[in-house]
Amino acid sequence: MDTRLVWDKSSKTSQDYSDIKFLFATEEYVWRPSIIIENSVDGISVISDKSVPMRIAKDGRVIWNPAGVYKVSCESDTKYYPMDTQECYLKVSAWAYTKAEIELFFKVQNVDTSFYTENGEWNLLSAESFKSEAKTRDGDAFSSVSFLVKLQRRLLFHVVNTLFPVALMAILIAFVFKLPVDSGEKIGFSLTVLLSYAVYLTLISDNIPSTSVTVCLLSMYLAFILFLATIAVCLTTFVINLHMRTDDERIPDWVKKFTSTYLIKFACWKQNCACKRNKVKDNGSDVNVTRTDDIPLTDKANHPDIETESEEESRNLTWKELSEIMDKDWLDTRLSWDDTNKMSQDYTNIIFLFSSEEYIWRPAIIIENAVDKISVISDKSVPMRIAPDGRVIWNPAGVYKISCESDTRYYPMDTQECYLKVSS
């Protein structure tokens, strides 16, 4: 609402313009509030579109609908990927004008989804709008509102290309224990499954969002299966090594101790049978073990010392993106009006003036270590606030990609320091 643009019957105009329903103009000629997308990724700048006209009503109400595509930053919760649901906020804030000067609110709480287009990746669950808490900067509060969009990932692609192959490879791991020890393909089969899992984990990592806030359960499952595949290769190698020994070849003491102490006890516990360790022969021959499965049930009770054996199936990073708010203020005594003795009139009732860099001098400031380009920070759409003492407050916002030297010695447990060098 801009009361300076009123021309209805109640207004103090020299002529009667009540027959005019609407006026149309662009932002070049009509004041518009400075609004930004607070969590924008590509660039933070005041929403502007000189090609979209503003509709001005008799009572001074201005209706403006600039269209745009905004890429925003949202925190992802990938714990249940690919069966996850995501919430994304679009944060809209007033800029340069305080809450006392611009107050954002919704005429209608429901978000209009008429122009929403379905896509193959997500289902739209809901879209809401709500008043956000006012942002405070240097003691001044700035009005803000938010849109909340809830999306659910479509499953078909991920079930066919992710979950199904993972389940099949998990089954294949167990089949390595079904191959006879004499088979020459036993170790080859184990290694093939292990390498297949490693390659597949690399392929699907591009589909899983990279975040350490929440770890995907699917990633944890894949890591666990990869661990099991590694254990299967180790056990297969161990079993083949024992099997291929000759009768007169001595078994290492640590193998006998490990087998008699842990594996046999574990097998007996699994079969819920009472068993004891047999003494190992001093000459280092095979452990003297007899399977209880081969003894009739009537004889097992008469052989309490018989032991069971375990079953066979037992870069240097050179740049970093930063979102930075450049708060600037400086004193320009040529713009002061607080000294009434030097003024033709008394302007002490004026608290602030607003202008842009087109008419007011501003210091030439650059981002010294910028990557894309080095140029003076400039934004004609962000107004400058001028105080009576000549102090100028200017807050141009932007996204700057800068060059930083990285120390990746302890990656991925590294800590990085990045400098944003601002120079005149």
Side-chain angles (χ1 to χ4, degrees):
M1 184 72 72
D2 193 337
T3 55
R4 299 172 297 179
L5 302 176
V6 175
W7 74 85
D8 58 7
K9 292 181 180 180
S10 60
S11 63
K12 299 178 181 180
T13 55
S14 58
Q15 299 184 40
D16 183 12
Y17 297 106
S18 58
D19 59 327
I20 299 177
K21 296 182 179 180
F22 292 103
L23 288 178
F24 292 92
T26 64
E27 63 178 76
E28 293 182 274
Y29 306 102
V30 178
W31 177 88
R32 56 102 176 89
S34 300
I35 305 295
I36 66 166
I37 305 298
E38 186 180 324
N39 57 336
S40 176
V41 173
D42 291 337
I44 300 177
S45 58
V46 173
I47 295 175
S48 174
D49 194 335
K50 295 180 180 179
S51 62
V52 177
M54 299 176 178
R55 179 189 294 262
I56 309 169
K58 296 180 180 181
D59 57 355
R61 185 166 59 98
V62 182
I63 303 171
W64 189 43
N65 303 306
V69 176
Y70 304 102
K71 186 184 294 185
V72 298
S73 172
C74 297
E75 191 64 52
S76 298
D77 183 3
T78 59
K79 182 177 181 180
Y80 300 107
Y81 171 87
M83 295 177 287
D84 53 329
T85 300
Q86 302 295 338
E87 295 183 354
C88 195
Y89 293 88
L90 180 75
K91 300 177 182 179
V92 181
S93 300
W95 201 250
Y97 297 97
T98 64
K99 187 177 180 181
E101 296 158 344
I102 292 181
E103 177 72 18
L104 302 180
F105 61 92
F106 294 103
K107 293 188 299 181
V108 181
Q109 289 296 325
N110 296 328
V111 178
D112 184 9
T113 57
S114 303
F115 293 95
Y116 176 75
T117 305
E118 293 286 343
N119 64 82
E121 179 68 13
W122 299 95
N123 278 326
L124 178 65
L125 296 181
S126 63
E128 308 169 10
S129 59
F130 58 91
K131 192 83 166 64
S132 306
E133 184 178 353
K135 304 291 182 180
T136 303
R137 189 173 69 250
D138 295 334
D140 296 323
F142 296 84
S143 184
S144 179
V145 294
S146 295
F147 297 92
L148 172 60
V149 179
K150 294 183 180 180
L151 303 168
Q152 186 177 47
R153 197 184 303 270
R154 295 178 184 265
L155 283 177
L156 184 59
F157 172 83
H158 301 281
V159 168
V160 174
N161 293 277
T162 303
L163 298 181
F164 185 65
V166 166
L168 287 181
M169 284 192 286
I171 296 174
L172 289 177
I173 292 177
F175 277 88
V176 67
F177 297 105
K178 290 295 183 181
L179 291 175
V181 179
D182 295 334
S183 174
E185 300 299 327
K186 191 175 183 70
I187 190 66
F189 179 83
S190 303
L191 289 174
T192 300
V193 174
L194 175 62
L195 293 176
S196 299
Y197 244 105
V199 172
Y200 189 74
L201 185 61
T202 304
L203 292 176
I204 69 170
S205 61
D206 294 336
N207 296 329
I208 301 177
S210 301
T211 174
S212 295
V213 178
T214 56
V215 180
C216 174
L217 293 179
L218 179 61
S219 297
M220 296 170 57
Y221 170 77
L222 290 173
F224 176 70
I225 295 299
L226 194 62
F227 171 76
L228 290 183
T230 305
I231 295 298
V233 172
C234 295
L235 289 178
T236 302
T237 305
F238 178 74
V239 170
I240 293 177
N241 182 270
L242 289 181
H243 179 74
M244 301 304 293
R245 287 177 179 270
T246 60
D247 294 340
D248 57 348
E249 188 175 357
R250 181 182 178 85
I251 298 177
D253 294 337
W254 69 270
V255 175
K256 295 186 291 185
K257 184 176 181 181
F258 176 78
T259 305
S260 59
T261 304
Y262 300 105
L263 294 184
I264 297 178
K265 279 188 175 182
F266 178 75
C268 292
W269 175 77
K270 291 290 290 183
Q271 296 178 6
N272 197 21
C273 65
C275 64
K276 296 181 180 179
R277 285 190 304 161
N278 275 350
K279 294 183 179 180
V280 181
K281 296 180 181 180
D282 294 335
N283 59 6
S285 59
D286 293 333
V287 179
N288 190 11
V289 174
T290 306
R291 288 185 60 90
T292 56
D293 296 343
D294 300 331
I295 303 176
L297 293 176
T298 55
D299 294 335
K300 287 183 181 180
N302 300 325
H303 296 80
D305 295 333
I306 290 179
E307 184 175 1
T308 60
E309 67 175 348
S310 173
E311 293 185 359
E312 189 178 9
E313 289 139 352
S314 320
R315 108 189 104 105
N316 288 339
L317 185 63
T318 57
W319 59 266
K320 181 178 181 181
E321 279 191 5
L322 291 179
S323 176
E324 184 71 19
I325 298 175
M326 305 297 296
D327 291 334
K328 302 178 183 179
D329 64 89
W330 62 90
L331 191 62
D332 193 338
T333 55
R334 299 171 298 178
L335 301 177
S336 61
W337 68 87
D338 55 349
D339 189 355
T340 57
N341 296 327
K342 297 181 180 180
M343 306 291 292
S344 60
Q345 298 184 41
D346 183 9
Y347 297 105
T348 55
N349 62 323
I350 299 177
I351 302 176
F352 289 107
L353 288 178
F354 291 93
S355 186
S356 67
E357 63 178 72
E358 293 182 274
Y359 307 102
I360 303 296
W361 177 89
R362 54 106 174 89
I365 304 295
I366 65 168
I367 306 297
E368 185 179 326
N369 56 335
V371 172
D372 291 338
K373 61 180 179 179
I374 298 179
S375 58
V376 173
I377 296 174
S378 174
D379 195 334
K380 295 179 180 180
S381 60
V382 176
M384 298 175 176
R385 179 189 293 264
I386 310 168
D389 60 352
R391 187 167 59 97
V392 183
I393 303 171
W394 190 41
N395 311 117
V399 175
Y400 306 100
K401 185 182 293 184
I402 61 177
S403 173
C404 298
E405 190 65 43
S406 298
D407 182 5
T408 57
R409 180 179 180 182
Y410 300 106
Y411 173 85
M413 296 177 287
D414 53 330
T415 302
Q416 301 295 338
E417 294 182 357
C418 197
Y419 294 92
L420 181 80
K421 300 178 182 179
V422 183
S423 303
S424 61

